[in-house]
Amino acid sequence: DAGITQSPRYKITETGRQVTLMCHQTWSHSYMFWYRQDLGHGLRLIYYSAAADITDKGEVPDGYVVSRSKTENFPLTLESATRSQTSVYFCASSEGGLAGGEQYFGPGTRLTVT
Amino acid sequence: RKEVEQDPGPFNVPEGATVAFNCTYSNSASQSFFWYRQDCRKEPKLLMSVYSSGNEDGRFTAQLNRASQYISLLIRDSKLSDSATYLCAVTISGAGSYQLTFGKGTKLSVIP
């Protein structure tokens, strides 16, 4: 039972390139989330999704695009990567309901934009 | 003022010690409260939810004080394996999205 996985785990890309980070969960959780974690800022929510085809912005959505055509997948795309998007990206999922705040995180993707 | 604030530490404590962390939140509409643990270069993992009546899980006790808008985490009989960063997180009522707002974390080092 893999739970929640992210790929790639490490990525180096150049400024201006499009990059897609993948997230897959096997629990059939309704809710999925993308966070970035930076020194001095902690974890910040980029986008979230309440169900397939339902997505909404979080605290820092600029420069990112998400989609959710299937419940189990929630890819995050950086349309034109910038150095400020160098970060560790975590995907998370949750059942919602009374357990909504109990989120389960993937192992993260370390992205470097040169 | 930040929505969720924590003392960044580090807290350096000897094995067997009792250590307590506090976390304050600014939004009185905050509804649910959690402690997460994050090991170095790893993902956050849910440690415990924090209930209004307080709750205990082994050596860990979490408390909520709504009047003063803070939550606390008490670790008794600290083990070397407790060394990690502890993140508090809150959700806002009415958001319907279960968005978590995290503090920046408190680093704990348990020393032999």
Side-chain angles (χ1 to χ4, degrees):
Chain A
D1 183 1
I4 182 164
T5 57
Q6 294 183 236
S7 62
R9 295 292 313 279
Y10 303 89
K11 177 74 177 178
I12 299 173
T13 192
E14 295 176 342
T15 300
R17 299 252 187 189
Q18 183 179 80
V19 177
T20 296
L21 309 184
M22 305 301 293
C23 178
H24 175 80
Q25 53 107 353
T26 60
W27 294 307
S28 299
H29 283 170
S30 298
Y31 287 82
M32 296 188 75
F33 308 84
W34 274 106
Y35 296 89
R36 60 177 291 174
Q37 188 172 37
D38 306 285
L39 280 175
H41 289 283
L43 278 160
R44 292 181 291 174
L45 183 66
I46 305 170
Y47 269 95
Y48 65 95
S49 169
D53 298 322
I54 301 175
T55 63
D56 208 346
K57 297 177 181 179
E59 181 185 352
V60 289
D62 293 344
Y64 304 95
V65 174
V66 294
S67 63
R68 194 166 176 208
S69 57
K70 293 184 178 181
T71 300
E72 61 266 30
N73 297 325
F74 191 38
L76 175 75
T77 297
L78 288 67
E79 295 184 292
S80 178
T82 65
R83 289 197 181 89
S84 65
Q85 292 177 310
T86 292
S87 186
V88 181
Y89 290 85
F90 290 104
C91 178
S93 70
S94 167
E95 286 182 22
L98 293 176
E102 297 178 0
Q103 296 184 10
Y104 299 88
F105 286 76
T109 294
R110 294 184 174 273
L111 176 68
T112 301
V113 183
T114 62
Chain B
R1 181 183 173 186
K2 296 290 185 183
E3 287 191 52
V4 180
E5 291 197 74
Q6 298 181 249
D7 182 339
F11 283 57
N12 299 315
V13 303
E15 272 187 289
T18 296
V19 61
F21 308 133
N22 279 345
C23 168
T24 59
Y25 58 94
S26 60
N27 192 330
S28 59
S30 297
Q31 185 175 42
S32 302
F33 308 87
F34 307 88
W35 284 103
Y36 282 77
R37 168 194 170 127
Q38 186 172 25
D39 292 296
C40 188
R41 300 181 70 84
K42 297 286 190 180
E43 72 273 21
K45 292 185 178 178
L46 179 66
L47 180 64
M48 56 199 305
S49 303
V50 186
Y51 303 125
S52 295
S53 56
N55 47 304
E56 187 175 308
D57 183 3
R59 298 181 293 109
F60 298 83
T61 300
Q63 301 246 321
L64 166 64
N65 185 318
R66 284 193 184 271
S68 300
Q69 295 186 198
Y70 75 86
I71 62 174
S72 64
L73 178 68
L74 182 78
I75 305 175
R76 291 181 298 277
D77 188 22
S78 299
K79 310 291 185 191
L80 295 175
S81 57
D82 294 333
S83 296
T85 296
Y86 291 84
L87 308 170
C88 66
V90 304
T91 62
I92 308 298
S93 78
S97 63
Y98 309 108
Q99 295 182 56
L100 281 174
T101 300
F102 284 86
K104 294 180 182 179
T106 298
K107 186 172 182 180
L108 171 66
S109 294
V110 181
I111 303 162

